[in-house]
Amino acid sequence: GNGCSDTSDVYPVTNYTTVESITALPKLIKVYPNPAGDIIYIYTPVKVNAKLTDITGRKIYKAEPLHNRLSLSGLAEGIYLLHLTNEEGLPIKTEKIIKR
């Protein structure tokens, strides 16, 4: 029916993502200390990319991939946003960072 004449070969899909894995991952990522001094540490069970912006969205720093720590030295005291994405660039978590 509908003009179909055959089916494709069967192949396994191994790169699937479940709703549970998408909602659980942000809870497993820890950013500390916050408020921060000159260094923040990011614990994550998967590889992530990071972008630090000021509250207006201006990019301050970008790390692809992130290596579990980020220097805030040289930044003025204030509020920043840490945007974490997966290797494909899809958002995982955004964390407000207070620099003292």
Side-chain angles (χ1 to χ4, degrees):
N2 297 330
C4 295
S5 62
D6 203 354
T7 58
S8 66
D9 292 337
V10 176
Y11 63 94
V13 176
T14 58
N15 62 343
Y16 61 88
T17 302
T18 64
V19 171
E20 291 81 16
S21 67
I22 292 171
T23 58
L25 184 55
K27 295 175 187 171
L28 297 175
I29 297 172
K30 306 295 180 208
V31 179
Y32 59 94
N34 196 7
D38 286 338
I39 302 266
I40 58 170
Y41 296 92
I42 298 103
Y43 167 78
T44 177
V46 296
K47 289 183 181 179
V48 297
N49 299 322
K51 180 173 72 171
L52 187 68
T53 65
D54 63 16
I55 57 172
T56 68
R58 184 175 56 98
K59 182 173 69 172
I60 305 295
Y61 180 84
K62 189 173 186 178
E64 295 178 344
L66 177 69
H67 293 289
N68 297 333
R69 65 185 263 165
L70 192 60
S71 173
L72 303 178
S73 64
L75 295 180
E77 291 184 358
I79 298 173
Y80 297 88
L81 296 174
L82 178 65
H83 307 271
L84 301 174
T85 59
N86 66 12
E87 292 179 293
E88 290 79 34
L90 298 173
I92 296 173
K93 183 176 187 169
T94 299
E95 182 94 10
K96 179 174 71 174
I97 304 295
I98 300 171
K99 166 77 164 50
R100 288 189 177 174

